[in-house]
C-alpha cells in the first residue's frame, strides 16, 4: 500500500487539468466518495495497528496534496472563464468616467441663495398649484386684472379655484400668514405663464422672490440690498438704476437695472446698446397686502423684489436662447462647472 501511495503522489503532482471537465474527471478519480483516496482510507481501517500508523501519515499527506491541487485548479479555471465568458477584454483602457454637472439654473439659484443668506435671509418654499387668493387677491390684484385672464394664467379649475402660480409672490402671502415680523426670506421656485414659446419666453420659468418685513424698513434698505446683491452677482464695479414702475402689491414700485457688465456700460448686444440690463421688479409692500395677512401697516413696513433666474443666468453665462434650459441637450449642459 505504501508503494501505491507513493506512485499516487507522483500522479497527482503531475496532473494538469486544463478545463472544468478535466478537473471533474480528476475529482471523481481521486477525491469523490468512490475515488481512490477515500477507498484507501477504507483499506487503512483493515490494517493491523502498527501498520496503520506507518501508512496513515503518507495517506493523509496524499489527501491534502490532492485537495490542494483541486482547489488551486478550480480557482484558476473560474477566473479565466469569468474573464472570457463575460466578453470583457481586460487589456482595454477603461471607459471614461462621465460625471454629471449641475444645471446652470441650479448653479445660479445656489449663488443667489448664498448671497442673500449672508444678509440674514432664509429660504422659503410654496406650492406651484395655487389658489386665487394667494396668487392674486391677497396681493391686491383687482378683480378684473388682465393677469387673471385665460391667456396669461393656466387655470386648472375655476371653481374651486386652482391655477398654476404666475409668480413666486404667493409664497410672500403664505409666509406672512404663518409667521409674524421680523421676516426676511427669499423664495426661489418655478412659475407658469401661458406665453408662446420663443428665445425670450417660455410657458414656465423660475423666479426668486425676496421679502423683508419689520419695523422701520425703508426704501433705502431695498436699494442697498439690491445694490449689494448686484455687485456680488455681477462684479464689484456694477452700478444699479431704479426706474418707476407698477405692481399691484407694491407701492412705490421700481424696476431694477444693472449696468451692463459685458461692455461696462458703453453699449453692446446684451444690453441692446443702452448700457443697462433689467434684472428685477421691486417695491415697498402695499399696505393692503399687509392688512390681508393681519400685519398692521402702521407698525410694520417691508420691501419685496422678484427676479427671473433664467434672466440672471443668461446674463451671467452669455446665453441667448431661453429654450436651451429645458431641451436637455447634454452638449449644452456639460459646459457648466459647479462653483462650490
Ligand atoms: N411678482 C412680480 C412679477 O412676477 C415681481 C415682483 C416681486 C415685483 C416682488 C415686485 C415685488 O413680475
Amino acid at each position: 500500500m505504501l508503494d501505491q501511495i507513493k506512485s499516487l503522489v507522483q500522479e497527482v503532482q503531475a496532473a494538469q487539468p486544463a478545463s472544468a471537465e478535466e478537473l471533474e474527471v480528476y475529482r471523481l478519480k481521486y477525491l469523490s466518495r468512490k475515488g481512490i483516496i477515500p477507498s484507501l482510507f477504507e483499506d487503512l481501517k483493515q490494517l493491523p495497528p502498527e501498520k496503520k500508523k506507518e501508512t496513515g501519515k503518507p495517506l493523509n499527506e496524499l489527501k491534502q496534496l490532492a485537495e490542494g491541487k483541486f482547489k488551486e485548479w478550480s480557482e484558476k479555471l473560474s477566473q479565466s472563464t469569468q474573464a472570457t465568458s463575460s466578453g470583457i477584454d481586460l487589456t482595454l483602457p477603461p471607459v471614461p468616467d462621465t460625471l454629471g454637472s449641475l444645471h446652470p439654473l441650479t448653479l445660479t439659484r445656489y449663488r443667489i441663495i448664498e448671497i442673500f443668506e449672508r444678509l440674514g435671509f432664509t429660504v422659503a418654499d410654496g406650492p406651484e398649484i395655487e389658489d386665487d387668493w394667494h396668487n392674486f387677491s391677497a396681493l391686491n390684484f383687482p378683480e378684473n386684472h388682465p393677469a387673471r385672464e385665460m391667456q396669461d394664467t393656466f387655470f386648472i379649475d375655476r371653481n374651486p379655484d386652482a391655477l398654476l402660480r404666475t409668480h413666486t409672490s404667493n409664497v410672500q402671502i403664505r409666509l406672512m400668514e404663518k409667521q409674524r415680523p421680523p421676516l426676511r426670506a427669499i423664495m426661489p421656485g418655478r412659475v407658469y405663464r401661458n406665453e408662446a414659446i420663443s428665445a425670450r419666453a417660455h410657458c414656465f420659468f423660475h423666479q426668486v422672490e425676496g421679502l423683508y418685513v419689520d419695523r422701520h424698513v425703508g426704501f433705502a434698505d431695498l436699494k442697498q440690498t439690491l445694490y449689494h446683491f448686484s455687485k456680488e452677482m455681477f462684479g464689484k464695479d456694477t452700478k444699479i438704476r431704479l426706474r418707476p414702475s407698477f405692481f399691484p402689491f407694491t407701492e412705490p414700485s421700481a424696476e431694477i437695472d444693472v449696468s451692463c457688465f459685458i461692455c461696462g456700460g458703453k453699449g453692446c448686444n446684451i444690453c441692446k446698446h443702452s448700457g443697462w440690463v433689467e434684472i428685477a421688479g421691486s417695491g415697498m409692500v402695499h399696505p393692503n397686502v399687509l392688512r390681508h395677512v393681519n400685519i398692521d401697516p402702521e407698525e410694520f413696513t417691508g420691501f419685496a423684489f422678484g427676479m427671473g433666474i433664467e434672466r440672471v443666468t443668461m446674463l451671467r453665462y452669455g446665453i441667448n436662447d431661453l429654450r436651451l434650459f429645458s431641451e436637455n441637450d447634454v452638449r449644452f449642459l456639460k459646459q457648466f462647472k459647479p462653483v462650490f
Side-chain angles (χ1 to χ4, degrees):
M1 197 166 156
L2 274 174
D3 286 346
Q4 198 190 351
I5 293 173
K6 244 192 208 152
S7 76
L8 278 169
V9 166
Q10 278 169 8
E11 233 182 270
V12 167
Q13 268 167 348
Q16 287 214 332
S19 66
E21 291 78 27
E22 282 179 33
L23 186 66
E24 180 62 3
V25 172
Y26 168 93
R27 189 187 69 81
L28 288 170
K29 182 170 174 193
Y30 297 106
L31 297 167
S32 68
R33 250 192 321 138
K34 290 190 179 137
I36 299 174
I37 296 173
S39 71
L40 283 174
F41 273 99
E42 288 301 313
D43 298 347
L44 185 72
K45 285 184 200 157
Q46 315 301 324
L47 292 178
E50 67 284 1
K51 282 258 173 189
K52 247 187 204 165
K53 223 178 167 189
E54 179 188 304
T55 320
K57 198 168 173 252
L59 182 56
N60 260 321
E61 282 164 7
L62 169 67
K63 187 183 167 213
Q64 273 165 18
L65 175 76
E67 282 175 351
K69 265 240 147 163
F70 175 76
K71 218 174 139 207
E72 183 188 324
W73 280 101
S74 50
E75 272 166 17
K76 267 193 202 155
L77 283 169
S78 78
Q79 270 169 18
S80 63
T81 45
Q82 257 173 27
T84 49
S85 67
S86 59
I88 297 170
D89 183 347
L90 297 173
T91 63
L92 284 178
V95 180
D97 199 357
T98 46
L99 199 62
S101 56
L102 291 174
H103 194 281
L105 295 177
T106 304
L107 293 173
T108 303
R109 176 163 46 93
Y110 283 179
R111 180 74 188 122
I112 295 172
I113 292 173
E114 194 175 68
I115 296 169
F116 282 105
E117 270 184 342
R118 284 199 215 136
L119 296 177
F121 284 75
T122 55
V123 179
D125 203 1
E128 290 176 22
I129 300 173
E130 194 46 285
D131 53 33
D132 178 277
W133 173 254
H134 292 95
N135 196 81
F136 294 128
S137 297
L139 287 158
N140 201 34
F141 278 78
E143 202 52 59
N144 54 358
H145 193 280
R148 297 183 187 222
E149 288 311 308
M150 295 302 266
Q151 54 270 38
D152 284 317
T153 304
F154 288 113
F155 287 96
I156 295 166
D157 245 320
R158 277 283 183 163
N159 194 16
D161 65 298
L163 51 90
L164 295 180
R165 67 175 176 190
T166 57
H167 51 186
T168 41
S169 306
N170 66 324
V171 193
Q172 266 190 48
I173 302 300
R174 290 191 174 270
L175 197 67
M176 290 191 286
E177 281 174 343
K178 271 206 317 256
Q179 286 176 36
R180 298 285 88 192
L183 275 175
R184 208 168 358 175
I186 57 166
M187 302 148 239
R190 185 181 289 217
V191 304
Y192 302 84
R193 288 182 199 178
N194 189 5
E195 284 171 343
I197 296 168
S198 73
R200 316 194 112 250
H202 212 310
C203 55
F204 69 87
F205 58 101
H206 299 78
Q207 288 189 331
V208 179
E209 183 95 359
L211 178 72
Y212 178 24
V213 182
D214 201 351
R215 293 187 177 87
H216 315 300
V217 176
F219 204 88
D221 299 305
L222 165 64
K223 194 174 158 189
Q224 190 59 31
T225 302
L226 288 164
Y227 182 42
H228 173 78
F229 167 77
S230 302
K231 287 197 293 186
E232 286 289 312
M233 192 71 184
F234 301 113
K236 65 176 175 22
D237 297 326
T238 310
K239 297 183 174 46
I240 62 165
R241 175 174 89 167
L242 278 69
R243 280 179 294 115
S245 185
F246 173 80
F247 299 101
F249 37 93
T250 48
E251 182 62 31
S253 306
E255 302 285 349
I256 314 278
D257 297 344
V258 294
S259 57
C260 181
F261 50 94
I262 307 285
C263 63
K266 286 190 209 78
C268 68
N269 277 342
I270 300 279
C271 62
K272 297 202 222 88
H273 301 280
S274 70
W276 296 94
V277 284
E278 185 188 315
I279 58 151
S282 69
M284 300 306 294
V285 180
H286 197 291
N288 284 349
V289 174
L290 294 175
R291 280 186 203 107
H292 286 149
V293 291
N294 292 322
I295 293 175
D296 181 1
E298 298 300 325
E299 189 181 354
F300 293 104
T301 49
F303 70 71
F305 60 86
M307 70 182 101
I309 301 184
E310 275 81 352
R311 188 86 223 257
V312 175
T313 309
M314 287 167 94
L315 292 171
R316 199 175 173 213
Y317 294 110
I319 297 163
N320 58 12
D321 194 326
L322 192 73
R323 288 168 291 195
L324 286 165
F325 290 129
S326 45
E327 277 170 353
N328 282 337
D329 188 331
V330 177
R331 289 167 303 175
F332 169 72
L333 294 173
K334 74 178 179 193
Q335 298 174 51
F336 302 91
K337 293 267 174 312
V339 269
F340 290 119

